[in-house]
């Protein structure tokens, strides 16, 4: 039996929860006026009766939300006590025909013009308001910024200097940021001050802590946390967030201290009527089991006790945690650690000179482990004690054999392993969040939305609007995640068997969907691994709109993760990044062939059995470099599969199939790579990439690079003029989501088939649909779309270098149209037809003459 709780949209913050007002045999009703701000972010306020009754009846609990905006100031939080059970979920869903929006934004009204020359408007906001983001009628506004790559700056010991003295007059100088795009990284730092120098110029002093992290002493622990490359903040790509930069339509400046928001409206925006949303909340939904994030502590932790003749070795190049270990050569010497929790894992090196270790828990011997292995492996969880009653315990290790016993670190499990489970969210929109930490601390980038904590220098991620920590069978289906100053969805802390399905993620500052962790590579306990998660049939676009290193989907260490039939596009960096650790899992022999120092940082990972299947990834690499549509990193412990994907349209160049450093055990087959120009369809650049099988792929370029080890490689079938053979056409037809398609069809949509010699250009500033076009200089080159409907329009640019275009509808040639005009026009409907008989139709447009023929898209009706 299924029980439904109906929640009204007009919940108000001042109301208090009254819980369940009554129920009938199959529907539970909640008094709408008794629910405040989703019960002060603790919905379901009192579902105990409903949950217990549903369990008794072996049914689901269903919470239905009516349409409207639910404004949250703190996240709606669910824990293990709010779980369903296997086969019977607690379901939070939109009511029939309803469109609920969980919002972290505050609506801003009352704008008035304060600078007629620059068209600047101002509105009051609460004093102390903090936000890095603003959305006007659902469209992202941009914090004020300078022109790109401002000239005249040089680097100093504390920041930057310029001969331009006007910067010294800027107000709120500590709120100003310098931003630097370099390679695969984006680095940001706030300024400490701007001062006029003796030469009449301006000295921009960067916040010292951020300057150290991003310039002077960039975190570089090496494998398994990062690679060898260290782009640092050595230049200015632009300057951001000064009132003095206001004047560009669509840009804003928030003076929270004074309580004012400034904005320059875009053409057609009426601030008296516009929905102006200032996000103030960082998170909208928190679904958390126990324990939280697990991270190892170093062997020098103050709670560690070493008894006997122990030595200490630091500065080690072998990949130990923190580069150091405690060690002993005397049998009977012991290491003990007292903690409060339910378990402890002890990290050590294993090697041929290690031996037996007796393990005691609370004074009783429980096991003997052996740390002897044929090759040296760092950061190995040689002891895992789990399932203890929560409380204070002591684990002791006693050397019982071998030449050495080493202690490298410990991971405390502070609570019972109790996932939150069997909860579904369906048909809900999550919108309007912000992440303010970079305003004070800067943005200390590593790669792909994984950062360095400014204080601890440990790996962290951009926070997500919707976060799942240690979940099981948590499902998001048919949801929308949009207009976010954070990442979208994060399946974190060893979440398992959970799903993001048939949803839309668009316009995020950070990552679209994140799965897994980057610091649990050592894990040996199945219950403490990320596994069995699925991200499928989603549309993920326009991620990284603030933090450009972000990717559409990030998967860290994981087992049996499936990324299937997603549409991922318009990203500033890679579309998908899966895996971590660089060459950590590759042998020292392979690392030596790469030229890395010896002895090497070498360990293991539990990652493996992952599947990247049937995705369409396109229009990527819009801002940064050294990435690709789907990028893999680090070793797999068991074979993973990469198949049926369609990859293409790289804006700033890419490696289309990019198995980067350490990538191993990938079976890469039956993919299509198209429209990447002279880029590489495959890049295996170094010997630590090993034991991959790459066969039966189709590309429109033959360029590739193979410096890997033990690679089974079959050169791709290279197809000229987009005349794809039947197997490739089947891949093209099957890729992407099996969901209703938009009536507005971009030029990189798989519904558009190109024949002839075509090129792609993205990042255009003229106003083309999604900023990109396909173009050809070959007379006779054509583009075809087959659709079901009653009408279609063809969108192109018009200009003096365009010419006549042939039109063929359902096999019948019609009169040619022209795209030749004296001046440039964008998204021009040079051909439209309506009133067709309902059903399937085919339109082909082809180049007749002129220098260029551009395809920007199609509009269906």
């Amino acid at each position: 039996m299924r029980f439904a709780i109906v929640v009204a949209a007009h919940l108000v913050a001042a109301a208090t929860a009254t819980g369940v007002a009554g129920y009938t045999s199959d529907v539970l009703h909640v008094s709408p006026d008794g629910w405040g701000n989703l019960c002060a972010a603790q919905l379901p306020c009192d579902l105990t009766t409903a949950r217990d009754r549903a369990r008794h009846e072996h049914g689901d609990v269903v919470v239905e939300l009516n349409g409207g905006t639910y404004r949250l100031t703190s996240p709606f939080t669910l824990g293990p006590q709010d779980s369903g059970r296997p086969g019977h979920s607690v379901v939070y869903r939109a009511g029939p025909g309803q469109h609920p929006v969980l919002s972290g934004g505050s609506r801003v009204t009352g704008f008035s013009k304060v600078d007629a020359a620059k068209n600047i408007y101002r509105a009051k906001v609460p004093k102390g308001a903090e936000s890095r983001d603003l959305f006007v009628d659902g469209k992202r506004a941009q914090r004020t910024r300078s022109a790109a790559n401002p000239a005249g700056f040089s680097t100093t010991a504390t920041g930057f200097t310029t001969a331009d003295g006007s910067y010294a007059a800027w107000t709120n100088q500590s709120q100003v940021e310098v931003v630097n795009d370099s390679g695969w990284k984006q680095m940001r730092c706030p300024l400490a001050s701007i001062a006029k120098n003796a030469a009449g110029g301006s000295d921009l002093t960067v916040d010292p802590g951020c300057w150290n992290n991003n310039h002077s002493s960039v975190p570089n622990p090496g494998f398994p946390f990062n690679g060898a490359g260290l782009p640092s903040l050595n230049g200015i790509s632009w300057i951001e967030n000064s009132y003095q930069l206001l004047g560009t339509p669509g840009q804003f400046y928030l003076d929270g201290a004074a309580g004012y928001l400034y904005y320059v409206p875009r053409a057609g925006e009426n601030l008296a009527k516009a929905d102006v949303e200032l996000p103030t909340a960082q998170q909208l939904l928190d679904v958390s089991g126990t324990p939280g994030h697990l991270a190892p502590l170093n062997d020098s932790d103050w709670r560690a006790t070493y008894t006997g003749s122990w030595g200490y070795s630091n500065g080690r190049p072998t990949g130990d945690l923190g580069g150091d270990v405690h060690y002993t050569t005397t049998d009977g010497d012991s290491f003990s650690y007292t903690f409060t929790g339910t378990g402890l894992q002890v990290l050590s090196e294993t090697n041929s000179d290690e031996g037996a270790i007796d393990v005691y828990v609370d004074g009783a011997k429980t096991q003997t482990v052996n740390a002897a292995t044929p090759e040296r492996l760092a950061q190995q969880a040689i002891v895992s004690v789990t399932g203890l009653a929560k409380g204070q315990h002591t684990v002791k290790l006693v050397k019982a054999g071998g030449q050495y016993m080493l202690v490298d670190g410990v991971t405390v499990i502070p609570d019972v392993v109790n996932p939150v489970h069997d909860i579904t969210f369906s048909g809900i929109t999550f919108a309007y969040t912000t992440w303010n930490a970079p305003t004070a601390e800067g943005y200390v980038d590593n790669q792909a939305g994984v950062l360095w904590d400014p204080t601890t220098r440990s790996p962290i991620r951009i926070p997500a609007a919707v976060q799942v920590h240690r979940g099981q069978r948590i499902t998001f289906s048919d949801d929308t995640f949009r207009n976010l100053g954070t990442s979208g969805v994060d399946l974190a802390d060893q979440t398992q068997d959970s799903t993001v399905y048939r949803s839309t993620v668009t316009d995020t500052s950070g990552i679209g969907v994140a799965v897994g962790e980057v610091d649990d590579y050592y894990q040996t306990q199945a219950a403490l691994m990320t596994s069995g998660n699925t991200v499928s049939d989603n549309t993920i676009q326009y991620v990284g709109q603030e933090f450009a290193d972000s990717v559409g989907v990030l998967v860290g260490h994981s087992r049996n993760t499936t990324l299937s039939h997603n549409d991922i596009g318009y990203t500033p960096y890679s579309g998908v990044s899966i895996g971590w650790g660089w060459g950590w899992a590759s042998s020292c022999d392979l690392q030596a062939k790469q030229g890395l120092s010896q002895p090497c940082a070498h360990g293991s990972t539990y990652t493996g059995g992952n599947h990247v299947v049937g995705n369409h990834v396109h229009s990527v690499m819009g801002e940064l470099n050294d990435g690709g549509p789907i990028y893999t990193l680090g070793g797999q412990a068991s074979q993973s599969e990469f198949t049926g994907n369609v990859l293409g349209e790289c804006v700033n160049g890419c490696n289309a199939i990019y198995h980067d450093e350490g990538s191993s055990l990938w079976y890469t087959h039956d993919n299509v790579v198209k429209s990447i120009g002279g880029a590489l369809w495959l890049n295996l650049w170094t010997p630590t990439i090993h034991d991959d099988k790459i066969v039966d792929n189709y590309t429109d370029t033959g360029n590739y690079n193979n410096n890997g080890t033990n690679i089974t490689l079959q050169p791709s079938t290279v197809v000229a003029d987009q005349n794809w053979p039947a197997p490739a056409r089947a891949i093209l037809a099957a890729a992407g989501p099996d969901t209703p398609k938009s009536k507005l069809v971009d030029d990189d949509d798989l519904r558009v088939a190109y024949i002839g010699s075509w090129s792609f250009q993205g990042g255009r500033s003229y106003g083309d649909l999604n900023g990109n076009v396909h173009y050809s200089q070959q007379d006779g080159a054509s583009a075809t779309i087959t659709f079901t409907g009653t009408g279609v329009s063809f969108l192109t640019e018009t200009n003096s270098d365009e010419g006549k275009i042939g039109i063929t509808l359902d096999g019948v040639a019609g009169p040619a149209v022209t795209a030749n005009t004296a001046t440039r026009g964008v998204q021009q409907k040079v051909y439209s037809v309506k009133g067709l008989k309902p059903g399937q139709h085919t339109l082909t447009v082809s180049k007749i003459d002129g220098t260029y023929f551009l395809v920007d898209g199609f509009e269906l009706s």
Side-chain angles (χ1 to χ4, degrees):
M1 183 175 291
R2 172 167 290 183
F3 295 88
I5 298 172
V6 183
V7 183
H10 58 279
L11 311 180
V12 292
T16 58
T18 60
V20 175
Y23 60 86
T24 63
S25 60
D26 60 352
V27 178
L28 289 168
H29 298 281
V30 174
S31 170
D33 295 331
W35 292 70
N37 199 20
L38 287 185
C39 293
Q42 294 298 323
L43 187 156
C45 306
D46 184 7
L47 292 186
T48 304
T49 302
R51 190 162 47 245
D52 290 347
R53 185 177 177 90
R55 286 173 175 163
H56 178 72
E57 300 283 351
H58 307 290
D60 294 346
V61 174
V62 178
V63 180
E64 286 193 346
L65 277 68
N66 284 343
T69 299
Y70 299 75
R71 296 192 182 273
L72 303 180
T73 56
S74 59
F76 165 25
T77 302
L78 298 174
Q81 71 278 5
D82 302 304
S83 299
R85 60 194 183 92
H88 301 292
S89 295
V90 177
V91 179
Y92 297 85
R93 72 183 185 195
Q98 302 297 301
H99 302 284
V101 178
L102 271 59
S103 170
S106 300
R107 187 166 186 177
V108 181
T109 59
F111 283 91
S112 60
K113 187 178 288 188
V114 294
D115 188 325
K118 294 184 176 181
N119 200 33
I120 298 172
Y121 284 73
R122 185 178 74 179
K124 288 184 177 180
V125 295
K127 287 189 176 181
E130 292 184 88
S131 184
R132 297 174 61 90
D133 304 279
L134 185 73
F135 299 89
V136 180
D137 287 333
K139 186 174 182 179
R140 178 180 291 264
Q142 187 179 74
R143 292 211 305 173
T144 58
R145 64 165 62 178
S146 69
N149 304 310
F153 284 94
S154 57
T155 305
T156 68
T158 58
F160 302 94
T161 189
T162 174
D164 185 344
S166 64
Y167 293 95
W170 282 10
T171 53
N172 292 341
Q173 294 174 358
S174 64
Q175 300 298 303
V176 178
E177 287 180 13
V178 288
V179 183
N180 187 202
D181 285 347
S182 181
W184 60 91
K185 292 174 63 172
Q186 183 181 84
M187 294 152 285
R188 293 170 171 267
C189 276
L191 297 182
S193 63
I194 311 174
K196 204 157 197 174
N197 57 38
S202 299
D203 291 336
L204 281 63
T205 299
V206 176
D207 172 83
C210 190
W211 185 246
N212 183 63
N213 285 329
N214 266 331
H215 174 84
S216 306
S217 180
V218 179
N220 185 27
F223 303 165
F225 290 125
N226 71 312
L230 282 175
S232 59
L233 200 163
N234 284 319
I236 298 178
S237 298
W238 67 84
I239 304 173
E240 187 170 297
N241 199 41
S242 169
Y243 176 86
Q244 281 70 30
L245 291 170
L246 269 173
T248 301
Q251 291 193 352
F252 78 96
Y253 176 74
L254 175 64
D255 186 348
Y260 288 112
L261 172 67
Y262 298 86
Y263 180 66
V264 180
R266 303 176 180 97
E269 289 179 340
N270 181 348
L271 295 182
K273 299 179 180 180
D275 178 18
V276 180
E277 298 285 344
L278 181 70
T280 54
Q282 177 176 296
Q283 189 178 353
L284 302 174
L285 174 64
D286 185 301
V287 182
S288 292
T290 59
H293 187 71
L294 301 178
L297 303 167
N298 200 21
D299 54 283
S300 56
D301 186 82
W302 65 273
R303 286 161 289 194
T305 300
Y306 298 92
T307 302
S309 53
W310 287 82
Y312 173 73
S313 175
N314 64 354
R316 294 168 63 85
T318 48
D320 304 290
L321 184 68
D324 63 351
V325 296
H326 280 74
Y327 67 94
T328 182
T329 59
T330 304
D331 288 353
D333 283 359
S334 66
F335 156 79
S336 61
Y337 195 89
T338 299
F339 63 96
T340 298
T342 66
L344 184 75
Q345 295 176 290
V346 182
L347 304 184
S348 177
E349 285 186 13
T350 62
N351 202 1
S352 57
D353 55 7
E354 313 295 318
I357 302 170
D358 292 331
V359 180
Y360 294 79
V361 179
D362 296 332
K365 182 178 176 180
T366 60
Q367 59 178 314
T368 297
V369 299
N370 197 326
T373 55
E375 65 174 342
R376 184 192 303 273
L377 294 171
Q379 297 193 47
Q380 299 298 290
I382 58 170
V383 173
S384 288
V385 177
T386 60
L388 302 176
K390 186 175 180 180
Q392 188 176 86
H393 301 280
T394 299
V395 171
K396 183 169 74 171
L397 277 59
V398 179
K399 184 178 183 301
Q403 183 177 355
Y404 291 99
M405 172 176 147
L406 276 65
V407 175
D408 189 25
V410 297
T411 299
V412 175
I413 304 172
D415 207 338
V416 294
V417 178
N418 187 15
V420 57
H421 58 89
D422 296 287
I423 301 177
T424 294
F425 303 88
S426 182
I428 300 171
T429 294
F430 301 88
Y432 303 126
T433 56
T434 194
W435 178 43
N436 293 314
T439 301
E441 301 171 341
Y443 187 82
V444 188
D445 193 9
N446 185 1
Q447 182 173 309
V450 179
L451 320 174
W452 300 110
D453 182 286
T455 302
T456 66
R457 296 187 152 212
S458 56
I460 58 173
R461 279 204 296 274
I462 301 169
V466 172
Q467 297 188 31
V468 179
H469 302 273
R470 204 164 302 282
Q472 280 187 351
R473 297 180 299 279
I474 307 299
T475 298
F476 297 91
S477 68
D478 301 289
D479 295 312
T480 298
F481 308 86
R482 62 170 171 84
N483 305 132
L484 300 171
T486 57
S487 294
V489 188
D490 195 348
L491 305 181
D493 294 328
Q494 296 83 45
T495 287
Q496 299 178 347
D497 302 320
S498 295
T499 300
V500 180
Y501 170 65
R502 210 166 56 194
S503 294
T504 297
V505 184
T506 186
D507 192 7
T508 66
S509 287
I511 301 163
V513 178
V515 180
E517 303 299 323
V518 300
D519 59 356
D520 63 352
Y521 43 89
Y522 60 87
Q523 196 52 254
T524 59
Q525 301 298 303
L528 300 178
M529 296 176 179
T530 298
S531 64
N533 299 300
T534 299
V535 180
S536 67
D537 284 282
N538 303 289
T539 298
I540 302 172
Q541 298 181 343
Y542 288 103
V543 303
Q545 297 302 289
E546 186 174 1
F547 308 112
D549 64 307
S550 301
V551 297
V553 179
L554 171 73
V555 180
H557 297 288
S558 67
R559 277 188 177 177
N560 303 323
T561 291
T562 297
L563 308 180
S564 173
H565 292 279
N566 300 287
D567 183 291
I568 301 169
Y570 315 113
T571 67
Y573 183 49
S574 296
V576 173
S577 180
I578 181 167
W580 209 254
W582 287 263
W584 170 252
S586 300
S587 70
C588 287
D589 287 344
L590 295 184
Q591 292 192 37
K593 290 180 180 179
Q594 184 175 312
L596 300 175
S597 61
Q598 300 295 308
C600 76
H602 176 41
S604 58
T605 174
Y606 71 85
T607 298
N610 298 303
H611 300 272
V612 182
V613 180
N615 301 282
H616 178 212
V617 190
H618 56 99
S619 298
V620 300
M621 306 305 298
E623 188 167 332
L624 300 181
N625 298 290
D626 196 20
I630 298 180
Y631 168 97
T632 72
L633 182 64
Q636 304 283 301
S638 58
Q639 187 179 81
S640 292
E641 187 177 34
F642 187 116
T643 186
N645 302 288
V646 177
L647 315 175
E649 292 94 18
C650 301
V651 177
N652 288 320
C654 70
N655 304 291
I657 298 177
Y658 195 174
H659 291 312
D660 197 9
E661 193 168 357
S663 293
S664 64
L665 298 179
W666 281 98
Y667 178 31
T668 299
H669 65 98
D670 294 288
N671 301 284
V672 172
V673 173
K674 66 184 186 69
S675 301
I676 63 168
L680 301 178
W681 75 265
L682 173 70
N683 190 10
L684 314 175
W685 70 272
T686 184
T688 59
I689 302 163
H690 65 95
D691 294 287
D692 298 312
K693 182 179 180 181
I694 304 168
V695 298
D696 298 327
N697 296 288
Y698 302 87
T699 72
D700 57 9
T701 176
N703 297 335
Y704 70 92
N705 180 28
N706 178 19
N707 289 320
T709 302
N710 195 27
I711 304 296
T712 300
L713 175 61
Q714 177 191 78
S716 66
T717 298
V718 180
V719 177
D721 289 342
Q722 312 292 311
N723 287 300
W724 301 104
R729 291 200 303 273
I731 296 168
L732 288 160
D738 184 17
T739 55
K741 303 296 192 294
S742 169
K743 296 292 186 180
L744 190 60
V745 182
D746 199 8
D747 61 282
D748 57 2
D749 194 292
L750 290 181
R751 287 173 285 178
V752 184
Y754 295 92
I755 298 295
S757 177
W758 287 88
S759 299
F760 170 82
Q761 187 177 60
R764 291 166 65 87
S765 58
Y766 301 118
D768 304 289
L769 182 63
N770 292 315
N772 50 260
V773 297
H774 276 70
Y775 66 94
S776 180
Q777 294 181 274
Q778 180 190 72
D779 289 352
S782 65
T784 297
I785 183 168
T786 298
F787 63 97
T788 299
T790 61
V792 61
S793 297
F794 169 54
L795 280 65
T796 186
E797 282 189 13
T798 60
N799 206 357
S800 58
D801 53 7
E802 315 294 321
K804 287 186 288 186
I805 301 167
I807 303 294
T808 301
L809 180 64
D810 295 334
V812 178
V817 298
T818 184
N820 186 272
T821 55
T823 58
R824 186 188 304 274
V826 295
Q827 297 194 43
Q828 298 299 295
K829 296 180 180 179
V830 297
Y831 171 78
S832 294
V833 61
K834 297 181 179 180
L836 300 175
K837 182 179 178 180
Q840 188 176 88
H841 301 278
T842 299
L843 172 66
T844 298
V845 291
S846 57
K847 184 176 184 295
I848 296 177
D849 60 18
T851 304
Y852 292 102
F853 173 41
L854 274 65
V855 174
D856 192 20
F858 299 85
E859 187 173 336
L860 309 179
S861 59

